[in-house]
């Protein structure tokens, strides 16, 4: 039964994290589209909320897995998969952000940016490290 909880936690928290990240990016695009340059406070605020989202949702997923009877490694895998889902949404929305930024700044529309393989590998490594951090914090709390 623990395996089912593990997969349900990944799906549930992954979808919630992905939707929240997409909504946050969309809100930033709308708010920054009203002026040529977004205020520094707005950018810092959105960066802080993004980091909080990237840490809180995987930590909650790891805590739910651990409290459901899963071990540390199941919590780690859950947190890492949820962080990867949030990262995937950010990577998939990158072309939209680039087009919107080009439209606001008045420049030409750039070709769709594609992250290179080393950039994606670093992102995966960060997801694994974040999974380890969140599972460790959840193990201390639960």
């Amino acid at each position: 039964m623990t395996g089912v909880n593990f997969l349900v936690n990944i799906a549930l928290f992954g979808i919630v994290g992905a939707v929240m990240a997409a909504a946050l990016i969309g809100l930033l695009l709308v708010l920054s589209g009203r002026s040529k340059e977004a205020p520094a406070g707005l950018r810092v605020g959105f960066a802080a909320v993004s980091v909080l989202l990237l840490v809180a949702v995987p930590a909650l997923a790891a805590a739910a897995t651990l409290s459901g009877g899963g071990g540390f490694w199941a919590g780690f895998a859950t947190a890492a998969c949820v962080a990867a889902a949030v990262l995937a949404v950010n990577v998939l929305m990158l072309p939209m952000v680039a087009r919107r930024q080009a439209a606001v700044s008045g420049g030409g529309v750039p070709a769709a940016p594609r992250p290179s393989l080393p950039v994606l590998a670093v992102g995966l490594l960060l997801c694994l490290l974040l999974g380890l951090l969140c599972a460790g914090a959840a193990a201390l709390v639960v």
Side-chain angles (χ1 to χ4, degrees), residues 43-64:
R43 289 183 297 190
V44 170
F46 272 97
V49 171
S50 294
V51 169
L52 180 67
L53 174 71
L54 193 58
V55 172
V57 174
L60 289 172

Side-chain angles (χ1 to χ4, degrees), residues 1-3 5-6 9 62-75 78 142:
M1 193 67 172
T2 303
N5 287 339
F6 167 72
N9 285 337
T65 299
L66 290 173
S67 67
F72 174 79
W73 294 110
T78 302
V142 173

Side-chain angles (χ1 to χ4, degrees), residues 2 11 21 24 31 39 43 47 55 62 64 67 73-74 76 80 90 103 111 115 119-120 124 128-129 137-138:
T2 303
L24 186 65
L31 291 177
R43 289 183 297 190
V55 172
S67 67
W73 294 110
F76 161 71
N90 286 318
V119 170
L120 292 176
L124 180 62
L128 293 174
L129 290 174

